[in-house]
């Protein structure tokens, strides 16, 4: 069964550094999402992406964040200057269409020191 | 403001019994509601989606109901098994206006005891 993959599984970085989290969506899916989950807290929506542009973003998704799909396969989340509070599990999710179920990847655990 | 409430306390159920989890929401008019399962350190896994014009949906041992008047969804697992132990998340579209990001509840931690 096709699944969403994410790399790396764990990323440790120093405060102020840039990180790029990568996701390979399920091949026939058109909608891509990033969510984060701080340890012990709920899953929070960051951004949705369709047709090579952002379709929706939350208040969390400020100017430090960006997304792109540079090569038509990988979907990336970049955090330009990481803060301690960015430490969380970041999940990529994909869907065939709006209003349908979303398929989540295994997550990247980001630790900012 | 929009809010999703799930019973965040752990729910202990004896194996073989039916587990019933509750999701209440306020200040939403969602077109659909979804339930996901999350195991520790893993991503959410989709279970069921129910639309606003559907009262009930079933899949194997799972059943979900959706009452838009009460603004509540109930999620049932019948003939529960220890392998059903996990955190179950209720999710709605983020803004209620046809947007596609999901807003999740905090989840209910379900423990099925042998």
């Amino acid at each position: 069964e096709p699944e969403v993959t994410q790399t790396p599984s764990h990323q440790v970085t120093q405060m102020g550094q840039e990180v790029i989290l990568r996701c390979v969506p399920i091949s026939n899916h058109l909608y891509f999402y990033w969510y984060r989950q701080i340890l012990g807290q709920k899953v929070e929506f960051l951004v949705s992406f369709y047709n090579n542009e952002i379709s929706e973003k939350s208040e969390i998704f400020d100017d430090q964040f960006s997304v792109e799909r540079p090569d038509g396969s990988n979907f990336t989340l970049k955090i330009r200057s990481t803060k301690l509070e960015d430490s969380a599990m970041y999940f990529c999710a994909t869907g065939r269409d709006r209003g349908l179920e979303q398929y989540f990847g295994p997550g990247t655990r980001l630790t900012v020191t | 403001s929009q809010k999703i409430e799930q019973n965040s306390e752990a729910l202990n159920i004896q194996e073989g019994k039916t587990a019933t989890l509750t999701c209440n929401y306020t200040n939403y008019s969602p077109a659909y509601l979804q339930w996901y399962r999350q195991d520790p350190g893993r991503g959410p896994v989709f279970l069921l989606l129910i639309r606003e014009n559907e009262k009930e949906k079933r899949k194997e041992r799972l059943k979900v109901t959706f009452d838009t008047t009460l603004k509540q969804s109930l999620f049932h697992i019948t003939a529960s098994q220890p392998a059903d132990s996990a955190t179950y998340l209720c999710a709605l579209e983020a803004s209620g206006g046809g947007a596609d990001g999901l807003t999740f509840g905090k989840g209910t931690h379900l423990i099925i005891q042998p």
Side-chain angles (χ1 to χ4, degrees):
Chain A
E1 186 174 323
E3 54 185 27
V4 177
T5 59
Q6 290 185 243
T7 54
S9 56
H10 192 189
Q11 174 91 46
V12 181
T13 190
Q14 287 190 329
M15 196 166 51
Q17 296 295 306
E18 174 183 287
V19 295
I20 298 176
L21 310 183
R22 292 182 169 79
C23 167
V24 178
I26 294 172
S27 63
N28 63 343
H29 286 191
L30 302 177
Y31 288 81
F32 313 121
Y33 310 87
W34 283 102
Y35 294 84
R36 80 170 184 192
Q37 186 173 32
I38 295 170
L39 187 64
Q41 298 188 27
K42 63 180 180 177
V43 177
E44 298 176 291
F45 169 70
L46 294 178
V47 65
S48 58
F49 191 84
Y50 169 71
N51 201 25
N52 278 324
E53 61 183 25
I54 291 173
S55 57
E56 186 192 16
K57 59 184 179 180
S58 73
E59 292 176 353
I60 303 169
F61 193 88
D62 61 21
D63 292 343
Q64 294 297 313
F65 292 90
S66 62
V67 290
E68 63 176 2
R69 200 172 178 222
D71 56 8
S73 65
N74 287 294
F75 177 50
T76 63
L77 174 70
K78 183 193 292 186
I79 309 175
R80 288 189 185 80
S81 178
T82 50
K83 308 184 191 80
L84 294 176
E85 54 265 36
D86 293 327
S87 295
M89 186 77 102
Y90 287 81
F91 293 109
C92 172
T94 73
R96 284 180 287 117
D97 202 347
R98 292 178 66 184
L100 297 180
E101 64 270 24
Q102 297 182 14
Y103 293 82
F104 283 74
T108 293
R109 179 168 298 284
L110 176 65
T111 302
V112 182
T113 61
Chain B
S1 63
Q2 297 171 326
K3 197 185 283 189
I4 300 173
E5 290 183 354
Q6 294 184 257
N7 187 349
S8 58
E9 295 174 5
L11 181 62
N12 284 273
I13 300 291
Q14 193 175 6
E15 182 178 6
K17 301 291 186 185
T18 296
T20 298
L21 286 63
T22 304
C23 174
N24 294 296
Y25 59 91
T26 55
N27 298 323
Y28 274 101
S29 296
Y32 59 85
L33 183 149
Q34 302 188 29
W35 283 89
Y36 288 78
R37 169 184 172 141
Q38 187 175 30
D39 292 283
R42 309 286 293 272
V45 175
F46 171 77
L47 297 174
L48 280 169
L49 181 152
I50 187 165
R51 302 198 181 278
E52 60 180 340
N53 60 347
E54 298 174 312
K55 296 287 187 198
E56 182 180 296
K57 204 84 168 277
R58 291 175 184 261
K59 178 182 173 184
E60 298 173 352
R61 294 183 296 112
L62 308 180
K63 183 178 87 171
V64 63
T65 62
F66 192 14
D67 188 325
T68 55
T69 302
L70 289 179
K71 294 188 181 295
Q72 181 181 79
S73 176
L74 299 178
F75 178 79
H76 307 271
I77 305 175
T78 58
S80 58
Q81 303 165 1
D84 295 326
S85 298
T87 297
Y88 290 85
L89 311 177
C90 169
L92 297 172
E93 53 185 333
S95 66
D100 46 13
L102 294 173
T103 295
F104 284 86
K106 289 183 179 178
T108 296
H109 184 41
L110 177 65
I111 301 167
I112 306 299
Q113 296 176 330

